[in-house]
Amino acid sequence: MPYFKNFINGQWLDTNETASNINPSDLTDVIGEYAQASCDDVQLALQSARSAWQSWRLSSIQMRADILDHIGSEILARKDELGTLLSREEGKTKAEGIGEAARAGYIFKFFAGEAIRMHGESGASVRPAIQVDVNREPVGVIGIITPWNFPIAIPAWKIAPALAFGNCVVFKPAELVPGSAWALAEIIARSGLPVGVFNLVMGQGAQVGQALVDSDQVDAISFTGSHATGKRIAAATSSRLTKLQLEMGGKNPLIILDDADLDSALNCAVQGAFYSTGQRCTASSRFIVTAGIHGRFIAALRERVAALRVGHALDDATQIGPVVDQRQLNVDLDYLDIGKNEGATLSVGGQLVERATRGYFLTPALFENAAPAMRICREEIFGPIAAVTCVANYDEALAMANDTPFGLASGIVTTSLKYAQHFRQNAQAGMVMVNCPTAGVDYHVPFGGIKGSSYGTREQGNLAIEFYTRVKTAYIA
Ligand code: ADP
């Protein structure tokens, strides 16, 4: 069985404990055994990052750009292999896995460019004969804690800017997907970075993640995961005033208006809610549909959802891979019961199905007659489950879309410029989609939400620099 170690202080380090990485499409397929870092390992990683930072923070921006570009090129050259590994361990389809791997490559290349665009400002003082410079400096040691649903893209969009702007990294990937994290770390380990600048510590959130969160050696933490863990991290770090960036999910609505192009509405709905097995923080889980199109939309949607092919993630015919693990499957099944008990109508799917291999196969589920107060309309499920609610008009749809503690992505399907513009201005979300699925975003522009979805400055694009740098104002006479 292949065995994969942590990368700490420039070395691949053994540990006593290991964990198996199991393929959710085939529970007999063990991808490998992965070292589980101890608290001492985390401390060692933090110390090595701290000491490496003394010189890395002053490293040449050309060197950083070259290293990031090199990492991006290797990821792109190996995207099929990396994407296949990703799909094997996480369960999204191979096409989605390869797309995600490519995205990770492009992210590194984007931040290679950003490294050399870290300009400051210079101006006159209001006092005579003094110059004022405003510059950005790296923050220090960044703890990066990532979820399982984007095993290579999310690590990439945190690690790349951290390194680009002169920080050192201790990276704690999600326990379910160490394979992609390890493969990425292996590429980074060979990229020419000085010893200690990048460290990989695999293991459980409650131990390894918590050790990072509790350490006074971490200057900033970038986290993506559940709302509950995000809030726990915020509480645990508040006394030290650690710089934080938290991405914590959504309950994203897709409004479909009477004037929508039906095919476009169906594509947005099916892709947004069910692709990647609905396991995306930007997935649409609420379809809010005006009465004039509701009947036609629902009838066609039932057919489209029922026709989705659920199966092994690496089978080319598969459109919807398995649920990631038993725990998430239990959550999904619980919400199917909750929805039925609340009085919504489960019109399609929600069935456990068998395939040639034993895996967590659940057919995409559609609830109809869902009321906005139901838990299936309020709580993030993170599975292939969506609920349809019929409303009288646009105003009611908008109010319902905004009536959520989350605010990540919000979508509308309409041919009306008036409603599209109004929605863009009034949707309470960090990302607004007009005639596009709520899930599926570009890598070169900011990503993030409002309300309970996000905390701290934006990730990605030219705003990523906000989190990974501090501003220093210098007066020079
Ligand atoms: P999910 O429910 O989607 O797995 P989590 O928020 O539990 O989301 O996990 C996201 C990431 O946070 C994972 O890498 C996980 O190991 C980590 N994590 C979980 N609990 C903690 C914790 N107490 N402190 C730090 N990290 C944690």
Side-chain angles (χ1 to χ4, degrees), residues 145-146 148 172-175 205 209-210 213 223-226 229 327:
I145 302 176
T146 56
W148 48 261
K172 203 303 265 180
E175 38 278 73
Q210 194 68 47
V213 166
F223 163 86
T224 301
S226 64
T229 305
R327 192 192 61 89

Side-chain angles (χ1 to χ4, degrees), residues 32-106:
E33 294 293 328
Y34 290 78
Q36 303 289 284
S38 65
C39 288
D40 286 349
D41 291 333
V42 176
Q43 298 315 322
L44 183 61
L46 287 167
Q47 280 160 20
S48 85
R50 170 115 351 250
S51 75
W53 189 57
Q54 297 314 321
S55 48
W56 178 247
R57 71 193 180 90
L58 303 171
S59 57
S60 105
I61 53 173
Q62 187 63 57
M63 175 191 185
R64 292 183 215 158
D66 288 346
I67 289 173
L68 292 176
D69 187 61
H70 179 83
I71 295 169
S73 295
E74 180 164 346
I75 295 171
L76 285 171
R78 292 173 53 196
K79 68 179 170 33
D80 290 3
E81 169 211 339
L82 292 168
T84 303
L85 169 66
L86 191 166
S87 299
R88 190 174 159 210
E89 71 174 348
E90 197 268 352
K92 65 182 64 173
T93 64
K94 195 164 65 173
E96 290 169 331
I98 292 169
E100 185 184 329
R103 178 195 181 95
Y106 290 127

Side-chain angles (χ1 to χ4, degrees), residues 144-149 172-176 203-214 221 223-230 232-233 236 247 324-325 327-328 380 382:
I144 290 178
I145 302 176
T146 56
W148 48 261
N149 64 328
K172 203 303 265 180
E175 38 278 73
L176 286 176
Q204 297 293 313
Q207 283 89 45
V208 179
Q210 194 68 47
L212 267 182
V213 166
D214 288 341
I221 293 178
F223 163 86
T224 301
S226 64
H227 191 76
T229 305
R232 202 173 305 134
I233 290 175
E247 287 298 339
V324 74
D325 73 345
R327 192 192 61 89
Q328 182 61 51
E380 185 175 47
F382 224 65

Side-chain angles (χ1 to χ4, degrees), residues 10-33:
Q11 294 185 320
W12 294 100
L13 288 191
D14 241 330
T15 45
N16 296 330
E17 244 185 278
T18 64
S20 306
N21 185 2
I22 312 259
N23 177 349
S25 301
D26 176 0
L27 304 186
T28 63
D29 177 23
V30 182
I31 297 158
E33 294 293 328

Side-chain angles (χ1 to χ4, degrees), residues 140-380:
V141 175
I142 315 282
I144 290 178
I145 302 176
T146 56
W148 48 261
N149 64 328
F150 284 92
I152 196 163
I154 293 180
W157 81 53
K158 296 179 190 293
I159 294 167
L163 299 176
F165 301 126
N167 301 282
C168 292
V169 167
V170 178
F171 167 39
K172 203 303 265 180
E175 38 278 73
L176 286 176
V177 289
S180 300
W182 190 91
L184 175 62
E186 197 275 330
I187 293 171
I188 297 173
R190 284 186 288 99
S191 65
L193 283 176
V195 166
V197 171
F198 172 82
N199 301 270
L200 170 73
V201 286
M202 298 178 285
Q204 297 293 313
Q207 283 89 45
V208 179
Q210 194 68 47
L212 267 182
V213 166
D214 288 341
S215 172
D216 57 7
Q217 294 302 306
V218 175
D219 298 297
I221 293 178
S222 182
F223 163 86
T224 301
S226 64
H227 191 76
T229 305
K231 277 179 88 169
R232 202 173 305 134
I233 290 175
T237 53
S238 66
S239 63
R240 287 191 304 281
L241 304 176
T242 308
K243 191 171 188 184
L244 283 187
Q245 181 178 58
L246 307 172
E247 287 298 339
M248 300 171 290
K251 190 69 192 170
N252 311 295
L254 179 72
I255 294 176
I256 290 139
L257 295 186
D258 286 355
D259 64 18
D261 175 76
L262 184 61
D263 210 41
S264 170
L266 292 166
N267 288 336
C268 290
V270 170
Q271 278 193 36
F274 301 116
Y275 279 33
S276 297
T277 321
Q279 298 175 151
R280 296 186 283 190
C281 47
T282 48
S284 339
S285 50
R286 298 184 288 145
F287 301 141
I288 302 171
V289 189
T290 49
I293 195 171
H294 180 260
R296 279 184 297 140
F297 173 74
I298 277 287
L301 185 63
R302 280 183 204 139
E303 277 182 33
R304 294 277 291 262
V305 176
L308 288 169
R309 292 185 300 273
V310 177
H312 195 299
L314 300 182
D315 180 342
D316 286 334
T318 294
Q319 291 173 292
I320 309 291
V323 173
V324 74
D325 73 345
Q326 185 68 54
R327 192 192 61 89
Q328 182 61 51
L329 183 62
N330 291 343
V331 171
D332 296 350
L333 295 172
D334 279 352
Y335 274 105
L336 288 167
D337 282 341
I338 289 167
K340 284 185 265 187
N341 292 336
E342 284 177 317
T345 315
L346 180 64
S347 61
V348 182
Q351 307 295 318
L352 286 173
V353 286
E354 291 186 1
R355 293 292 179 261
T357 51
R358 197 159 64 82
Y360 305 114
F361 301 111
L362 177 68
T363 54
L366 189 65
F367 276 113
E368 298 176 28
N369 307 313
M374 290 178 179
R375 287 180 62 194
I376 55 165
C377 292
R378 301 206 69 77
E379 298 170 13
E380 185 175 47

